[in-house]
């Protein structure tokens, strides 16, 4: 059963990178991109969301490697370490284009989970499916759904949310996220 989304809106939120089910670590940037899109959407709307550095410190404290598939217990523990009220996490897979084509890198299937840490119950499970080339649209819609679930009284309609949002090519998103993940300043 899903919990009460209205209760969660007053809390603090932890957004984790989405786990890459493809087996290709070169695609880990997609999981971070999904995380960044949701985190930035919630933060710009005034919700309290932990920064990437806080998240990484929680991983370090618990000796959990980033970008590994997490158990529900690990997700709950990460939330507890940071004293978050809810955690948003998920996974993605990249399905081959059908039929194979030069225009498509494949279909992205995304599943997000929103967990109330205090009650250890799922608030929602959200899904997206579409071409990797439309990553910006997919993650924007997922971010809006997350906001609507956590703060239904303040979330706008989907049309209002989408109006005026810039759509970057997937290559631009990939470059930005890879720079964000670079280990040192020179690589960024």
């Amino acid at each position: 059963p899903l919990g009460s989304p209205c209760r969660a809106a007053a809390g603090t939120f932890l957004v984790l990178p989405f786990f890459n089910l493809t087996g290709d670590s070169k695609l880990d940037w997609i999981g971070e991109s999904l995380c960044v899109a949701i985190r930035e959407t919630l933060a710009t709307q005034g919700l309290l969301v932990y920064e990437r550095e806080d998240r990484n410190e929680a991983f370090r404290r618990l000796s959990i490697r980033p970008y590994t598939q997490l158990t529900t217990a690990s997700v709950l523990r990460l939330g507890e370490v940071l004293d978050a009220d809810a955690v948003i996490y998920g996974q993605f897979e990249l399905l081959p284009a059908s039929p194979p084509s030069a225009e498509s890198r494949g279909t992205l299937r995304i599943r997000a989970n929103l967990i109330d840490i205090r009650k250890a119950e799922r608030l929602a499970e959200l899904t997206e499916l579409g071409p990797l080339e439309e990553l910006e649209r997919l993650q924007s819609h997922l971010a809006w759904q997350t906001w609507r679930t956590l703060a239904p009284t303040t979330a706008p309609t989907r049309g209002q949310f989408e109006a005026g949002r810039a759509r970057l090519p997937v290559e631009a998103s990939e470059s930005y996220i890879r720079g964000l993940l670079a280990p040192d300043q020179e690589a960024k």
Side-chain angles (χ1 to χ4, degrees):
L2 300 181
S4 167
C6 296
R7 182 200 158 300
T12 56
F13 305 99
L14 172 62
V15 185
L16 299 174
F18 282 49
F19 180 68
N20 173 2
L21 292 176
T22 69
D24 182 354
S25 63
K26 290 184 274 190
L27 297 175
D28 284 349
W29 69 269
I30 296 171
E32 187 70 32
S33 184
L34 292 162
C35 175
V36 167
I38 293 169
R39 192 207 161 287
E40 287 179 357
T41 294
L42 298 178
T44 58
Q45 301 312 316
L47 297 175
L48 299 173
V49 188
Y50 285 100
E51 297 285 341
R52 185 171 180 273
E53 294 76 19
D54 298 319
R55 176 195 83 198
N56 290 343
E57 176 60 20
F59 274 102
R60 189 193 64 72
R61 276 200 238 159
L62 295 175
S63 300
I64 298 173
R65 289 181 314 161
Y67 310 107
T68 58
Q69 189 166 14
L70 302 172
T71 64
T72 303
S74 294
V75 170
L76 291 171
R77 190 71 187 111
L78 284 163
E80 289 169 354
V81 163
L82 290 174
D83 199 29
D85 293 295
V87 177
I88 299 100
Y89 72 104
Q91 58 193 31
F92 70 91
E93 57 187 317
L94 187 61
L95 309 170
S98 180
S101 75
E103 293 94 39
S104 179
R105 291 168 62 183
T107 299
L108 198 56
R109 181 182 302 162
I110 306 163
R111 189 173 77 221
N113 295 288
L114 287 67
I115 303 270
D116 181 318
I117 296 296
R118 308 287 181 235
K119 293 182 178 179
E121 77 179 6
R122 182 176 295 156
L123 296 170
E125 180 173 307
L126 309 171
T127 59
E128 288 293 323
L129 180 70
L132 176 59
E133 293 74 21
E134 295 181 15
L135 177 63
E136 285 289 319
R137 180 187 61 79
L138 296 170
Q139 63 190 17
S140 176
H141 187 243
L142 187 61
W144 172 75
Q145 288 183 85
T146 303
W147 181 15
R148 189 184 66 184
T149 300
L150 295 174
T153 59
T154 62
T157 66
R158 181 177 179 190
Q160 291 168 328
F161 179 74
E162 295 291 335
R165 289 186 68 92
R167 293 277 190 245
L168 297 174
V170 71
E171 296 81 9
S173 294
E174 181 177 359
S175 292
Y176 170 73
I177 296 298
R178 285 188 185 281
L180 187 65
L181 296 175
D184 57 51
Q185 201 60 26
E186 186 175 314
K188 291 181 184 209

